[in-house]
Amino acid sequence: MSPADQLRRDRTDAGFTILEVLVALAIVAVSIVAIGSVMSTNSRGVTALENHIALVETAQTVLATEIPQRKELAPGSKAGQLRNYRWQVDVSPVGGDWEPPNDSKVGWTPELVKIHVRSPTGAQVDLSTIRLMPRSQQ
């Protein structure tokens, strides 16, 4: 063996020490755990967002399909279930029992329509709107 080969083997900086390898592995392990945590949080957020969108879409469907036409709209409650989502529609006069004076020429009465939808997971959404009903002529 030549003196040059002997010098290369005896150098202390010829490779990584076991301590350096362990520190590098610890850094890689912490990085992998952090990435896994971010992915898990992201997945839960996406699932929650999808559930919220389904809840709002169901509320909009109830709003579009379950509220009767103006001539059939009357104060009261109506409830049902759509795709495992429970809903309830409440129709009541705006401002309680207020009505325009009988001598006025107002042909419409505003009615408050409240829609409450509850998902199978317990999440809830409430929508409110005003509908004008033909006023009964006395």
Side-chain angles (χ1 to χ4, degrees):
M1 186 170 356
S2 72
D5 289 335
Q6 187 65 27
L7 278 176
R8 273 191 227 126
R9 287 188 186 166
D10 291 340
R11 289 181 34 193
T12 57
D13 63 346
F16 296 109
T17 65
I18 191 74
L19 185 59
E20 292 170 332
V21 171
L22 289 175
V23 168
L25 285 175
I27 291 171
V28 168
V30 167
S31 299
I32 289 173
V33 168
I35 290 171
S37 174
V38 168
M39 294 297 290
S40 174
T41 302
N42 188 27
S43 176
R44 283 192 303 268
V46 167
T47 302
L49 185 60
E50 287 173 346
N51 290 340
H52 182 72
I53 289 171
L55 180 63
V56 171
E57 284 177 347
T58 302
Q60 289 176 336
T61 301
V62 169
L63 179 66
T65 61
E66 298 300 330
I67 297 176
Q69 297 296 322
R70 281 193 175 108
K71 60 186 173 193
E72 300 165 1
L73 190 65
S77 291
K78 184 178 180 182
Q81 190 167 341
L82 177 65
R83 297 187 306 251
N84 292 329
Y85 288 80
R86 300 179 72 70
W87 56 266
Q88 180 174 348
V89 175
D90 295 316
V91 179
S92 61
V94 174
D97 293 333
W98 175 85
E99 284 200 24
N102 286 335
D103 60 344
S104 71
K105 299 202 186 310
V106 177
W108 299 93
T109 302
E111 295 287 330
L112 177 63
V113 179
K114 293 182 182 178
I115 300 163
H116 178 79
V117 180
R118 183 181 181 102
S119 76
T121 62
Q124 303 177 38
V125 68
D126 292 308
L127 299 176
S128 297
T129 187
I130 304 273
R131 291 275 172 107
L132 293 177
M133 288 181 29
R135 187 167 165 230
S136 58
Q137 300 301 326
Q138 298 172 353

